[in-house]
Amino acid sequence: MAAASRAVAERIPLVDLILEVRDARIPLSSEYDQLRNFPSSSKRIIVLNKMDLANRSEIKCLKFLQAQVKEVKKIDHSSYTATIMLVGIPNVGKSALANSLHQIGRISAAEKGKLKRATVSPIPGETRDISSLKIGSHPNVYVLDTPGILPPDILDVEVCSKLALTGAIKDCLVGEKELAQYFLSILNRSDEYKKWEKLSTEENEGSTIDQRVGCLGSSELDTRQKRQYPTDHTQDFVVREVRRALFETISSFPGSLEKEKDLSRLIETQFTVLREAFRVASESGEDVENKVAAKLLNLYRTGRLGHYTLDSLPRNIQ
């Protein structure tokens, strides 16, 4: 990161626009610390990514950038080529954004076939070098995709926890079980679980469903069963069971979630019920808990367990 940090710093004064990409779940904690060394100006635009944007929103983003490029060119007529640099911490989606802009940019089909794409990965630190992608013609517009950079030291434990939970820091450096416990502490104190109340009601109506299943022909029943893979935690019926288990453990918990001991006791109970919901074999040892934690983190990070803004935003931010 030190080498990448120097390379980015050398290019910042040379580009026309700087796009600082942040994670919408942690819009303050995902600030790109290195930009603090440069004076703020109209050249800097903050983009909140990971909001499950549709293509329509991406097109609006591109049109906005093209408008900004035109404004820059009104000031500087020395070049017909504009350069936009994407900067941000690891795993905020810089490369995915660069590819989206490239895909919908005003580039001929022949050019698109020849141009490279940025490497996209859910693992932080996958982008190792600064790469250039063309996203527009007339004028020519290029995007520089840069490696994700974190400050050498993060002294705020809460900020570090948020960065790890959202994937900016590799799970192995913190521990999947610890991250899953942190997520459950957030879920338990939120209102997201209340949206799953009807799943508990549906479970009580299971006898009616069983009767319907009994009326199905054997071939039709076999076909339906083959479509379900109990060990695949991403399947809808598994996700429903996970949501139901979480709702029931939280709503029936007699303790106080404001007390650390009570919260820890609830999380321990949740790991037990989640093991059953995820169909993880009842072996002893930390390996089982790590498997549960990995599956739980995956569902959180893909939005299957609700949407959360982990930073507390000031009231004056609209």
Side-chain angles (χ1 to χ4, degrees):
M1 283 192 182
S5 180
R6 290 192 295 270
V8 169
E10 292 172 358
R11 287 167 173 78
I12 286 179
L14 306 177
V15 300
D16 297 292
L17 287 175
I18 299 171
L19 260 63
E20 181 190 353
V21 185
R22 298 189 188 184
D23 191 322
R25 297 168 294 180
I26 48 172
L28 302 181
S29 299
S30 58
E31 178 184 5
Y32 188 68
D33 189 72
Q34 190 170 355
L35 287 182
R36 294 181 179 180
N37 300 325
F38 296 87
S40 59
S41 69
S42 58
K43 290 176 58 175
R44 176 187 178 190
I45 300 172
I46 297 176
V47 178
L48 295 181
N49 203 16
K50 303 222 172 182
M51 296 178 68
D52 295 328
L53 298 177
N55 288 336
R56 183 180 305 172
S57 298
E58 291 173 351
I59 291 174
K60 288 180 179 179
C61 178
L62 178 61
K63 289 181 177 178
F64 174 72
L65 295 180
Q66 290 172 334
Q68 294 297 310
V69 169
K70 291 180 180 178
E71 290 298 318
V72 170
K73 290 308 165 187
K74 287 180 181 179
I75 302 173
D76 180 12
H77 297 278
S78 62
S79 174
Y80 291 98
T81 299
T83 305
I84 302 172
M85 185 160 67
L86 299 179
V87 299
I89 66 173
N91 208 26
V92 290
K94 297 184 298 297
S95 297
L97 177 59
N99 283 336
S100 296
L101 295 174
H102 166 71
Q103 183 67 27
I104 62 179
R106 294 176 178 175
I107 308 174
S108 68
E111 281 186 292
K112 284 187 177 180
K114 296 178 182 178
L115 296 176
K116 61 183 179 180
R117 294 175 60 85
T119 302
V120 178
S121 171
I123 302 174
E126 190 66 24
T127 302
R128 300 179 184 275
D129 302 302
I130 298 177
S131 59
S132 176
L133 298 174
K134 188 175 183 180
I135 66 168
S137 301
H138 312 296
N140 292 324
V141 183
Y142 291 86
V143 161
L144 298 181
D145 183 28
T146 65
I149 299 173
L150 287 170
D153 298 304
I154 304 175
L155 302 179
D156 191 317
V157 175
E158 186 176 3
V159 170
C160 186
S161 299
K162 293 174 183 177
L163 292 173
L165 183 59
T166 53
I169 300 175
K170 292 183 178 180
D171 291 348
C172 61
L173 298 178
V174 180
E176 289 178 326
K177 180 182 176 181
E178 288 74 13
L179 288 176
Q181 290 173 330
Y182 178 52
F183 165 67
L184 287 174
S185 70
I186 295 171
L187 169 66
N188 293 337
R189 290 172 171 149
S190 73
D191 292 329
E192 283 292 314
Y193 75 93
K194 295 179 181 178
K195 300 176 182 178
W196 307 328
E197 181 177 5
K198 63 180 182 179
L199 296 176
S200 182
T201 304
E202 291 174 357
E203 178 67 14
N204 294 331
E205 297 173 354
S207 58
T208 304
I209 298 176
D210 291 339
Q211 292 175 1
R212 293 176 183 174
V213 172
C215 297
L216 293 175
S218 58
S219 60
E220 185 178 356
L221 181 59
D222 291 341
T223 301
R224 292 193 177 188
Q225 289 177 338
K226 288 179 181 178
R227 293 174 184 168
Q228 296 185 348
Y229 302 91
T231 57
D232 181 2
H233 66 280
T234 64
Q235 291 207 110
D236 290 342
F237 78 97
V238 176
V239 175
R240 284 195 298 270
E241 289 192 29
V242 170
R243 291 172 176 172
R244 178 183 58 79
L246 290 172
F247 171 80
E248 292 181 350
T249 54
I250 301 173
S251 59
S252 63
F253 184 65
S256 171
L257 297 180
E258 301 304 319
K259 295 181 179 179
E260 198 65 31
K261 289 185 178 180
D262 286 356
L263 181 61
S264 298
R265 184 159 53 90
L266 172 59
I267 292 174
E268 184 178 348
T269 300
Q270 289 173 321
F271 260 83
T272 301
V273 299
L274 286 173
R275 186 193 69 197
E276 298 178 1
F278 283 130
R279 273 81 166 179
V280 176
S282 57
E283 305 161 349
S284 59
E286 291 187 0
D287 189 48
V288 172
E289 292 186 332
N290 287 334
K291 288 180 180 178
V292 171
K295 292 175 184 287
L296 184 68
L297 288 174
N298 177 262
L299 292 186
Y300 157 69
R301 288 169 176 167
T302 53
R304 306 294 296 277
L305 295 179
H307 303 276
Y308 306 83
T309 300
L310 306 182
D311 283 337
S312 299
L313 302 179
R315 293 182 178 273
N316 61 343
I317 294 182
Q318 300 296 325

